[in-house]
Amino acid sequence: MEAKSIAKYVRMSSMKVGVVLDLIRGKNVNEAFAILKYTPKDAAEVINKVLKSAVANAENNLSLDINNLYVAEAYACQGPTLKRFRPHAQGRAFRIKKRTSHVTVVVKERA
């Protein structure tokens, strides 16, 4: 049994989110929350919300024991990119790509 949670259109690049996801992948849920609490990255706050949601889904929808849960999968896919332009010298324009990502966390119960 696995519970899953997805946060879509997060205004952060998937590479930046992936760095924090690597820290919690395979860890016990309580340990993952502790790691995210003391990780000084903006992505940690978003991932904390997604992990809380996945744990709540496991507890309420599937009746799994919270103490036996671990982060089975954690990944960030690239979402749509917002394209913006900044004016530059001599009438030129400079493109800015504001990247988004879809963060997915899957928790399972240890056997």
Side-chain angles (χ1 to χ4, degrees):
M1 299 288 268
E2 64 180 31
K4 181 170 154 179
S5 182
I6 303 172
K8 290 192 165 191
Y9 308 107
V10 176
R11 262 291 292 124
M12 205 171 299
S13 79
S14 56
M15 288 180 67
K16 290 180 181 180
V17 176
V19 169
V20 182
L21 287 174
D22 290 339
L23 296 174
I24 65 164
R25 193 176 294 118
K27 299 276 195 299
N28 189 7
V29 167
N30 295 326
E31 191 179 343
F33 281 127
I35 291 169
L36 290 173
K37 184 176 180 182
Y38 294 107
T39 302
K41 296 253 182 205
D42 290 336
E45 193 175 326
V46 173
I47 295 169
N48 192 24
K49 284 184 177 183
V50 178
L51 183 58
K52 274 185 184 175
S53 178
V55 169
N57 289 342
E59 182 183 14
N60 297 318
N61 300 345
L62 303 174
S63 302
L64 300 178
D65 184 22
I66 298 174
N67 298 323
N68 295 335
L69 291 178
Y70 74 101
V71 181
E73 296 177 41
Y75 53 90
C77 301
Q78 187 172 338
T81 302
L82 304 171
K83 294 171 180 83
R84 302 291 181 260
F85 290 95
R86 288 293 303 245
H88 266 242
Q90 299 178 356
R92 293 182 177 89
F94 180 72
R95 175 177 277 170
I96 294 177
K97 293 181 180 177
K98 299 190 173 205
R99 301 190 184 273
T100 62
S101 56
H102 305 313
V103 182
T104 305
V105 175
V106 178
V107 294
K108 289 185 182 176
E109 196 169 28
R110 284 204 199 274

XYZ file of all heavy atoms in Angstrom, residues 24 27-36:
86
model
N 15.830 13.301 1.669
C 14.807 12.559 2.414
C 14.416 11.232 1.778
O 13.729 10.431 2.400
C 13.533 13.413 2.622
C 12.858 13.719 1.296
C 13.853 14.670 3.392
C 11.436 14.203 1.445
N 14.163 7.651 3.657
C 14.222 7.856 5.109
C 12.859 7.584 5.753
O 11.824 7.621 5.096
C 14.620 9.305 5.423
C 15.985 9.712 4.894
C 17.065 9.301 5.859
C 18.396 9.975 5.603
N 19.014 9.735 4.338
N 12.890 7.334 7.055
C 11.675 7.225 7.853
C 10.965 8.585 7.832
O 11.621 9.617 7.728
C 12.063 6.827 9.280
C 10.885 6.488 10.132
O 9.756 6.422 9.646
N 11.129 6.273 11.403
N 9.652 8.593 7.934
C 8.893 9.839 7.810
C 9.266 10.834 8.910
O 9.455 12.024 8.644
C 7.368 9.539 7.822
C 6.575 10.804 8.014
C 6.965 8.870 6.534
N 9.400 10.361 10.147
C 9.757 11.257 11.250
C 11.151 11.851 11.048
O 11.387 13.022 11.327
C 9.689 10.513 12.588
C 8.274 10.077 12.907
O 7.323 10.769 12.573
N 8.130 8.922 13.531
N 12.057 11.037 10.550
C 13.417 11.507 10.265
C 13.407 12.523 9.123
O 14.132 13.523 9.154
C 14.296 10.309 9.900
C 15.767 10.600 9.835
C 16.591 9.371 9.499
O 16.070 8.246 9.623
O 17.754 9.550 9.095
N 12.561 12.287 8.123
C 12.449 13.197 6.984
C 11.929 14.560 7.428
O 12.424 15.600 6.976
C 11.536 12.598 5.918
N 10.937 14.567 8.337
C 10.426 15.839 8.856
C 11.513 16.602 9.601
O 11.623 17.824 9.480
C 9.225 15.614 9.779
C 7.933 15.362 9.053
C 7.170 14.251 9.344
C 7.478 16.238 8.080
C 5.976 14.015 8.687
C 6.287 16.015 7.411
C 5.535 14.896 7.717
N 12.326 15.885 10.368
C 13.412 16.521 11.116
C 14.457 17.113 10.169
O 14.955 18.224 10.389
C 14.065 15.517 12.060
N 14.782 16.393 9.112
C 15.755 16.883 8.126
C 15.226 18.135 7.446
O 15.947 19.128 7.288
C 16.076 15.785 7.085
C 16.874 14.657 7.735
C 16.840 16.358 5.896
C 17.014 13.431 6.859
N 13.956 18.118 7.040
C 13.369 19.261 6.342
C 13.276 20.493 7.237
O 13.407 21.621 6.772
C 11.976 18.900 5.815
C 11.951 17.899 4.662
C 10.525 17.493 4.363
C 12.625 18.469 3.440
